Amino acid sequence: MTSGTGGHNGQKRYVREPAKRVFASELRETRLQFKDGDDEKSPVYVMLPTGERSNRIFFCGQMTQKERKGDENPFYTARVSDPTGLFFINAGSYQQEAMLKISQIEQGAYVSVVGKPIVRETPDGSVFVSVRVENISETDLETTKIWIDDTAESTLNRLLIFGETEDSKKAGEFYNTDLNVFRKMAYDALVRTEI
Amino acid sequence: MDIDPQVTERISRKLEEKGALVDCERIEAKLNLLVKDFGIPVEEAERTVTNEFIRELKLTNSGSNRDNPDVMKIADTNPGDWVTVEGKVVSLQTPPSPSMAQAGIISDDSGAVRFVVWEKANATLLEENKWYRFESATIDEYRGSPSMKVHSGTTITEIDEDRPLMPVPISLSDLKPGVATVHVKVVQDWEPRHERMFQTGILGDETATTKFVTWKDNNNQKLEEGKVYNIYYAGVDEYQGRYSLNLTGAMFLEDEGAEIEISGGKTTITGAIINLGPGSGLIKRCPVDGCNRVLNRQNFCPLHEIQDKFRYDLRITGVLDNGSAATNILIQREEAEKITGITLEKAIEIAENNPLGLEDVFIKMQDILIGRYFQCRGNDMEGTLLVKNCELISFDPQKHTGLINRASEQDTGVDL
């Protein structure tokens, strides 16, 4: 919740970045990407429109449109759908294990994914948000339903403190966030889930 | 600022008690020099000037009795102080450096402090369990803990009397760097990770759990897991904001038949397992008595080299992430078997009949655990949750309905 000060709070101990819960349609709106610190290894974050920085995300859904691309440097791309939209995932030679997993998982299967969100501008000037997979595994509908609740709750929590944290103020300035859009997104995701 | 004439008078009176009359102007001149020209605090200057005259006039402090107001209680001393204390040497340790003649702990009825006698102090050797008066010792800080230094300017006088001393145990949640007496249960006995380490593990009481370590010494005693002890004068060290107890040289007595309800299983985290560490799955442990270290692929123990008669064990190390924090978790065999459905026997069978060996067990566990939601309960130890109980989470229709209500009601200024 207080990730606004996370990452540079003077602690020497290495703190693993938590995997934020975010719906596909919010990630798709994400544009602001920044580096926290001047060091080569400083973490790169994206600023979610609901006001939290994120360097890692976790999501669940059905995997579709799996494709193997590249000849000399093969990599995989696929889509993962949640009730709000699509996540575009990819794994290349630097994510050997993730690539192997994607190659083994059949299309249409429910998956859980951990990865790094990346905002990239395409040559034609449009913006594309994808996720570089760190870990992917075949799970089930049950897990996906728990994730939808988890993510709706996290989203509502972010909306609740929007404007109170440094990061959410920045997000508000950058995106001019309409909180109601994201409240409705969470609501729709929830009601589309069968009990 | 003029110096309070009372200070001058106090010094004068003190010297008079010792049989010397000193001109007040001389005292004032010395005080002025220290306070005005050197900016030394008045209290400090008062002590310095008094001591200077005592030395100059060859007066001794020996005439002073125990009620001497100069004697400080150990609990009242602070780093930076010059002190005179009277205490009992309750523990002596092998000094870690040749520049130290002795190292140990002294205690009075208010508390205890670690001390070091410098080799250069040329002091008489202190004996354990005897009382001494230390005049003009200094208190400084070593790795965050107060420590009393006996140097060449310190006078040590043996006190020929055994005064009653009853150390008061404190709760683990109240630990602060220094020395402490505790009443605890040995919660876990770990494999020492270092040659010089005699024993390490976790101690607990009703309030908290704490890591402990005993370094190898001439008279090491081993604590037994599950038993309750009174541990007298353990060192409290701080490392990265966490406290641990150093039992080297500490004395302990088993509190037979006692039971302590350990604070624990207090931390509960619900989240997704998003990563498994390479030390997960089927592991091999060193069979040497009391070692238990994890062997590498070549069956190599860092201490006992190649061990072909290893013992198999099952465990999970990983990361449980709840969206706002990622927590390292460590799950031992019993719970690991429960949540993966793979028993130790089955894991051994898989490993021995498969070309990938141990790796295959690891992959199977990854497939079962990663990306799924679990609730883990246990003790937080140095940032790792030692999991006592772990359950797979299932979808909760009630929570779901609650969230729908919240999403439709949460005030964002506009109705849905």
Side-chain angles (χ1 to χ4, degrees):
Chain A
M1 300 299 279
T2 54
S3 66
T5 54
H8 56 92
N9 48 7
Q11 278 189 334
K12 279 181 208 124
R13 183 190 293 235
Y14 163 75
V15 179
R16 187 187 167 96
E17 287 286 341
K20 299 286 164 74
R21 315 300 202 241
V22 56
F23 283 119
S25 75
E26 177 173 3
L27 190 70
R28 211 181 168 140
E29 297 297 312
T30 300
R31 293 289 176 275
L32 180 57
Q33 183 164 261
F34 62 98
K35 205 168 179 174
D36 189 13
D38 304 326
D39 203 76
E40 199 187 319
K41 287 182 180 154
S42 301
V44 175
Y45 295 90
V46 298
M47 184 68 81
L48 301 176
T50 49
E52 243 182 49
R53 66 178 65 195
S54 161
N55 147 286
R56 174 176 283 134
I57 60 175
F58 172 69
F59 55 92
C60 303
Q62 266 179 305
M63 189 172 84
T64 56
Q65 300 204 20
K66 180 171 87 172
E67 263 185 85
R68 186 178 193 264
K69 292 178 179 167
D71 291 328
E72 282 189 10
N73 292 306
F75 65 99
Y76 270 90
T77 63
R79 295 175 185 189
V80 175
S81 62
D82 78 358
T84 72
L86 294 169
F87 290 99
F88 297 87
I89 65 170
N90 62 67
S93 51
Y94 288 108
Q95 298 83 38
Q96 284 282 359
E97 281 184 35
M99 194 164 78
L100 184 69
K101 281 270 161 63
I102 295 175
S103 75
Q104 290 168 336
I105 298 172
E106 287 187 24
Q107 304 224 37
Y110 285 97
V111 293
S112 292
V113 183
V114 184
K116 304 270 188 190
I118 292 157
V119 179
R120 192 164 57 84
E121 207 165 316
T122 56
D124 63 8
S126 60
V127 178
F128 182 65
V129 187
S130 63
V131 180
R132 201 175 60 223
V133 181
E134 289 182 316
N135 228 323
I136 179 168
S137 58
E138 186 172 342
T139 49
D140 48 25
L141 177 61
E142 174 96 358
T143 304
T144 303
K145 281 160 68 177
I146 301 170
W147 174 79
I148 291 168
D149 281 1
D150 186 16
T151 306
E153 189 174 21
S154 301
T155 307
L156 293 173
N157 287 343
R158 292 198 288 268
L159 296 178
L160 211 57
I161 55 162
F162 194 88
E164 289 169 27
T165 62
E166 281 301 309
D167 278 356
S168 64
K169 282 178 198 160
K170 273 185 213 150
E173 261 170 49
F174 187 86
Y175 296 105
N176 202 9
T177 311
D178 179 351
L179 301 186
N180 210 42
V181 167
F182 293 99
R183 176 168 69 120
K184 189 159 187 333
M185 171 192 76
Y187 178 83
D188 291 346
L190 287 167
V191 293
R192 267 174 226 161
T193 308
E194 286 167 37
I195 294 184
Chain B
M1 185 197 79
D2 274 340
I3 290 163
D4 189 344
Q6 279 186 9
V7 177
T8 318
E9 204 171 301
R10 262 208 304 273
I11 297 174
S12 164
R13 207 169 336 115
K14 200 178 254 171
L15 295 172
E16 210 177 311
E17 279 170 19
K18 294 182 192 300
L21 275 171
V22 182
D23 190 0
C24 280
E25 274 171 32
R26 277 190 66 202
I27 297 174
E28 222 173 273
K30 273 185 192 281
L31 278 173
N32 273 328
L33 179 73
L34 292 177
V35 177
K36 290 189 175 157
D37 296 355
F38 291 96
I40 290 169
V42 180
E43 311 82 67
E44 184 81 39
E46 183 178 340
R47 266 199 300 278
T48 311
V49 171
T50 314
N51 289 338
E52 223 174 276
F53 277 112
I54 289 173
R55 253 199 314 279
E56 186 186 309
L57 303 166
K58 295 203 167 57
L59 303 172
T60 56
N61 272 323
S62 59
S64 60
N65 55 27
R66 247 201 278 142
D67 301 319
N68 189 329
D70 283 354
V71 175
M72 284 179 82
K73 289 293 183 195
I74 288 174
D76 298 335
T77 61
N78 288 304
D81 285 351
W82 281 70
V83 298
T84 293
V85 296
E86 294 182 353
K88 182 179 180 175
V89 177
V90 291
S91 149
L92 282 174
Q93 286 128 43
T94 318
S97 151
S99 63
M100 298 173 183
Q102 283 187 295
I105 293 167
I106 62 158
S107 176
D108 65 11
D109 56 7
S110 72
V113 65
R114 284 188 242 213
F115 73 86
V116 164
V117 181
W118 296 117
E119 186 65 49
K120 280 187 179 164
N122 247 330
T124 44
L125 273 188
L126 303 173
E127 284 178 54
E128 207 164 329
N129 294 324
K130 280 196 173 166
W131 282 80
Y132 296 92
R133 177 188 172 89
F134 299 84
E135 272 171 63
S136 302
T138 51
I139 305 279
D140 66 10
E141 215 175 68
Y142 179 67
R143 291 189 181 150
S145 305
S147 165
M148 188 179 89
K149 297 285 152 56
V150 173
H151 47 86
S152 53
T154 310
T155 317
I156 303 178
T157 327
E158 192 182 326
I159 298 169
D160 199 10
E161 144 184 40
D162 193 11
R163 302 177 192 167
L165 192 60
M166 199 57 223
V168 185
I170 64 162
S171 302
L172 291 183
S173 59
D174 294 339
L175 288 181
K176 55 178 203 281
V179 176
T181 293
V182 292
H183 183 244
V184 290
K185 181 172 168 178
V186 182
V187 183
Q188 285 192 24
D189 187 6
W190 291 341
E191 48 191 84
R193 300 178 312 276
H194 194 283
E195 274 179 57
R196 294 208 299 115
M197 213 179 254
F198 175 73
Q199 195 179 11
T200 181
I202 299 173
L203 300 175
D205 67 6
E206 292 86 350
T207 64
T209 52
T210 305
K211 197 176 130 182
F212 78 92
V213 59
T214 312
W215 299 99
K216 280 186 182 160
D217 202 338
N218 299 326
N219 40 5
N220 281 142
Q221 257 181 289
K222 202 160 188 149
L223 295 168
E224 276 185 62
E225 195 169 316
K227 289 194 171 164
V228 174
Y229 293 88
N230 276 308
I231 300 178
Y232 300 96
Y233 310 117
V236 185
D237 294 317
E238 186 189 344
Y239 180 65
Q240 290 187 335
R242 292 171 192 278
Y243 297 141
S244 66
L245 288 169
N246 180 346
L247 307 190
T248 320
M251 187 178 77
F252 35 86
L253 283 177
E254 192 190 329
D255 192 352
E256 274 177 77
E259 204 23 78
I260 293 182
E261 185 80 23
I262 300 299
S263 141
K266 268 195 170 166
T267 311
T268 300
I269 302 172
T270 304
I273 292 185
I274 60 164
N275 188 36
L276 281 201
S280 298
L282 192 60
I283 53 167
K284 299 170 181 172
R285 291 195 186 271
C286 177
V288 175
D289 200 28
C291 175
N292 222 22
R293 284 178 175 78
V294 177
L295 305 178
N296 75 359
R297 275 169 190 272
Q298 284 77 38
N299 299 340
F300 185 85
C301 167
L303 205 59
H304 304 104
E305 308 198 339
I306 301 289
Q307 294 289 334
D308 285 322
K309 293 201 164 119
F310 52 80
R311 205 165 57 69
Y312 276 121
D313 196 3
L314 211 57
R315 71 163 182 197
I316 294 163
T317 68
V319 178
L320 186 71
D321 189 311
N322 68 359
S324 53
T327 310
N328 293 317
I329 52 170
L330 178 61
I331 304 173
Q332 301 291 354
R333 178 183 157 190
E334 213 172 291
E335 290 299 297
E337 287 181 333
K338 189 183 87 187
I339 57 169
T340 59
I342 302 174
T343 59
L344 179 61
E345 291 71 34
K346 178 116 172 276
I348 295 170
E349 198 190 305
I350 296 169
E352 288 181 347
N353 295 305
N354 196 294
L356 285 175
L358 303 183
E359 185 74 12
D360 197 53
V361 178
F362 180 74
I363 293 169
K364 284 200 161 57
M365 286 198 167
Q366 267 193 329
D367 288 345
I368 295 168
L369 301 173
I370 288 194
R372 290 179 199 269
Y373 282 86
F374 290 89
Q375 183 172 71
C376 292
R377 186 169 55 81
N379 291 317
D380 177 62
M381 183 49 60
E382 322 258 290
T384 297
L385 188 69
L386 305 175
V387 179
K388 286 217 172 79
N389 184 275
C390 184
E391 305 284 346
L392 182 71
I393 297 287
S394 39
F395 178 73
D396 179 354
Q398 253 185 320
K399 179 182 175 178
H400 184 73
T401 318
L403 281 166
I404 291 179
N405 288 338
R406 188 179 152 191
S408 60
E409 286 164 11
Q410 186 168 312
D411 185 16
T412 46
V414 192
D415 290 328
L416 282 170

